[in-house]
């Protein structure tokens, strides 16, 4: 194909689109969400008291992000909503609302549309927000583009982690990838682990409350949806730190069992499986945050060393090669 | 096809998604944009001074909203941006920023992407805002979904018009449809009218400044992008009025000339041509607003009569049948 990687293309967009923003744009292209300081309708500053807005958009495209044979229409609506909300969670923001732009091929019936909306509604009820508008269009493939708007007194960004900070994680990693693999191979073994994995894939949960709890304690955060290693590499690069992970903290009993059903490596799934919509945070005391699990720490950046490494029990480091999901690769 | 009309589907979505919104959702599904009162990150009311947010999303889908053979990639970016911004203009809002979710097939090169972004940037420069983030995804067809966020002390809605109000219009109507027809028929005659029509189609302009001027004087407003008659029928239905239009005020000299080149009826183009991104407003004195042209007035609703009618010079009324662009028809 003729295009560059997703990251190169984001840099291209930043070069063309950046620099035109007003002073109220506190964070533009490159983090989980944009951060805006609201201004008065006349264009001047507000009289005070207005917290920054956190704002994101996310697309779920048929054949790229989902397959209709593995998910119900209700699942599609649910997942698309949670994927957008997860960007707010990673900034420590409270959702104000969501808008959804639906592109629907002719074979999507009114009942199917109703099921998509029911899934959106269920996800919204879970996070305490609502879809307050949107757009409908015909198209050749289903796509659901969701934009979520939130508010945060001090939004978390990717670039605030410092050497010595602890790393913590809210939400499972690897389980959604295990669930996808089980469904894809048409093996749906009985048992709690398989059910949990399939549920993690079909009904991921944005960690809004965890993000709000982290907002005061963390110095940096990132949405984990492209795979933990890849997303932490972004946090490490933005913050100028090196991330050292405790492999024992990444694999839950459920993930170990689900991986065994697949004959897969549980740690591989935890590091590289995507679509979890977990939130990783860095800060001095984040390991003690309710709803979070301590997974490692930040170290000084080292010339020529990988941004992310596994820390063995005897202190030896294993470099991880960046290997996330690239939509354009 | 299996789905209902766009309007039936919007009603379906409102039934499933409505009712979950908090008190800060001042206007949800059904107007040009949603209206939110910002709340504090803790969930309570803000200390005051924060004006309502106006928020919209709009998709431009290849084969539905545009054809690559009639528009450059730069035009695509420009039009998609203006289409979303026009919803803010119709609410009398000042843009805070935009996010763009791009779905791109493999044959869209980095240069093409750069051209899309250049078009977005040009449109943003025109309206005094910026694309501050977005999302990139692969897909089978190009789609550009743009979400625009603005602020307005007293956002204009569709439902505020009263009998006796004047109607006024900012921006041309019919000219974009004429431009499309000229390009589609591969006739590009020389002359100012043809050039203006083609420009109106390729580079429509959201009427942000006009909307801001109207915000204090108008009681209702609507984005005109699906055809003037169809959009005014929405305003009439929401406000509970009947709209009477002066046909002589709708056809500019440019439109008359462009229509003649096509052998088309200029008034038909003005009433039913889409993609203009004009703004129609209603209020006691809106006819005198700078940048607006008086086009008619609002009358009491009449049982069994059409919502929109043409008012002849001798006072006789010609009912207009609703005939807008329905993406699902």
């Amino acid at each position: 194909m003729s295009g560059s990687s997703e990251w190169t293309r984001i840099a291209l967009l930043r070069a063309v689109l950046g620099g035109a923003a007003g002073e109220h744009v506190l964070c533009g292209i490159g983090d989980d969400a944009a951060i805006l300081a609201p201004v008065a309708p006349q264009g001047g500053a507000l009289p005070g008291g207005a917290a920054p807005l956190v704002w994101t958009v996310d697309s779920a495209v048929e054949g790229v992000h989902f397959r209709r044979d593995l998910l119900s229409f209700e699942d599609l609506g649910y997942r698309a909503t949670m994927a957008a909300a997860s960007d707010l969670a990673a900034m420590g923001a409270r959702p104000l609302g969501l808008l959804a732009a639906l592109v629907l091929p002719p074979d999507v019936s009114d009942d199917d549309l109703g099921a998509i909306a029911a899934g959106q509604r269920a996800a919204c009820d879970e996070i305490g927000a609502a879809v307050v508008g949107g757009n409908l269009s015909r198209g050749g493939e289903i796509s659901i583009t969701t934009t979520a708007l939130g508010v945060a007194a001090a939004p978390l960004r990717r670039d605030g982690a410092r050497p010595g900070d602890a790393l913590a994680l809210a939400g499972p990693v690897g389980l959604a990838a295990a669930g996808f693999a089980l469904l894809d191979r048409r093996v749906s073994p009985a048992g709690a682990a398989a059910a949990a994995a399939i549920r993690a894939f079909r009904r991921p949960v944005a960690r809004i409350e965890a993000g709000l709890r982290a907002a005061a304690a963390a110095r940096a955060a990132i949405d984990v949806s492209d795979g933990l290693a890849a997303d932490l590499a972004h946090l490490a690069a933005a913050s100028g730190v090196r991330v050292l992970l405790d492999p024992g903290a990444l694999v839950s009993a459920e993930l170990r069992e689900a991986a065994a059903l697949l004959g897969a490596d549980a740690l591989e799934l935890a590091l590289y499986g995507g679509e979890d919509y977990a939130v990783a945070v860095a800060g001095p005391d984040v390991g003690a945050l309710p709803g979070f699990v301590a997974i490692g720490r930040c170290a000084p950046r080292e010339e020529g060393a990988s941004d992310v490494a596994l820390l063995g029990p005897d202190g030896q480091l294993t470099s991880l090669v960046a290997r996330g999901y690239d939509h354009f690769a």
Side-chain angles (χ1 to χ4, degrees), chain A:
Chain A
M1 72 154 283
S2 56
S4 301
S5 78
E6 188 171 352
W7 322 123
T8 309
R9 292 190 139 193
I10 290 171
L12 184 162
L13 291 174
R14 194 188 299 173
V16 179
L17 296 170
E23 278 173 26
H24 68 288
V25 181
L26 306 179
C27 177
I29 295 166
D31 215 304
D32 281 315
I35 306 174
L36 301 175
V39 295
Q42 299 74 29
L46 281 177
L53 298 165
V54 176
W55 186 27
T56 188
V57 67
D58 189 84
S59 294
V61 180
E62 184 171 13
V64 179
H65 300 96
F66 65 83
R67 285 161 38 189
R68 283 198 231 181
D69 59 330
L70 302 187
L71 295 165
S72 70
F73 282 101
E74 200 167 331
D75 292 332
L76 298 188
Y78 191 96
R79 293 172 91 247
T81 306
M82 286 299 189
S86 185
D87 285 332
L88 297 192
M91 309 287 271
R94 178 179 297 284
L96 289 174
L98 303 97
L99 305 178
L102 306 179
V103 176
L104 304 175
D107 69 317
V108 175
S109 71
D110 283 7
D111 282 350
D112 300 336
L113 175 60
I116 291 172
Q120 293 173 313
R121 174 69 189 252
C124 280
D125 287 349
E126 191 82 30
I127 60 170
V131 173
V132 298
N135 190 73
L136 279 175
S137 174
R138 195 161 45 82
E141 63 200 2
I142 299 178
S143 81
I144 305 178
T145 298
T146 308
T147 172
L149 183 66
V151 64
L156 292 168
R157 301 169 55 148
R158 298 177 178 181
D159 60 2
R162 297 291 167 260
D165 279 353
L167 279 168
L169 185 70
V173 285
L175 213 51
F180 168 81
L182 287 169
L183 291 170
D184 187 40
R185 298 188 199 172
R186 316 260 165 219
V187 274
S188 298
I198 288 168
R199 186 164 179 85
F201 172 65
R202 288 192 164 147
R203 299 288 170 128
V205 177
R207 305 289 154 173
I208 296 290
E209 289 302 322
L212 290 169
R213 277 195 298 275
R219 286 207 275 235
I222 192 162
D223 170 48
V224 178
S225 59
D226 290 335
L228 183 67
D231 287 319
L232 285 179
H234 293 309
L235 181 143
S239 292
V241 298
R242 189 176 194 205
V243 160
L244 308 182
L245 291 174
D246 170 8
L250 302 178
V251 177
S252 65
E254 252 170 359
L255 177 60
R256 192 181 316 279
E257 204 178 317
L261 294 170
L262 290 160
D265 185 275
L267 185 58
E268 285 268 310
L269 284 169
L271 289 169
Y272 303 115
E275 317 226 23
D276 295 302
Y277 306 107
V279 169
V281 299
D285 306 307
V286 295
L289 283 170
F292 283 83
V293 172
I295 59 166
R297 60 185 172 82
C298 299
R301 207 173 181 83
E302 279 177 43
E303 196 66 44
S306 70
D307 281 347
V308 184
L310 292 181
L311 182 61
D314 49 358
Q316 94 282 12
L317 291 174
T318 311
S319 288
L320 297 182
V321 180
R323 200 173 97 198
Y325 186 70
D326 183 337
H327 295 156
F328 292 98

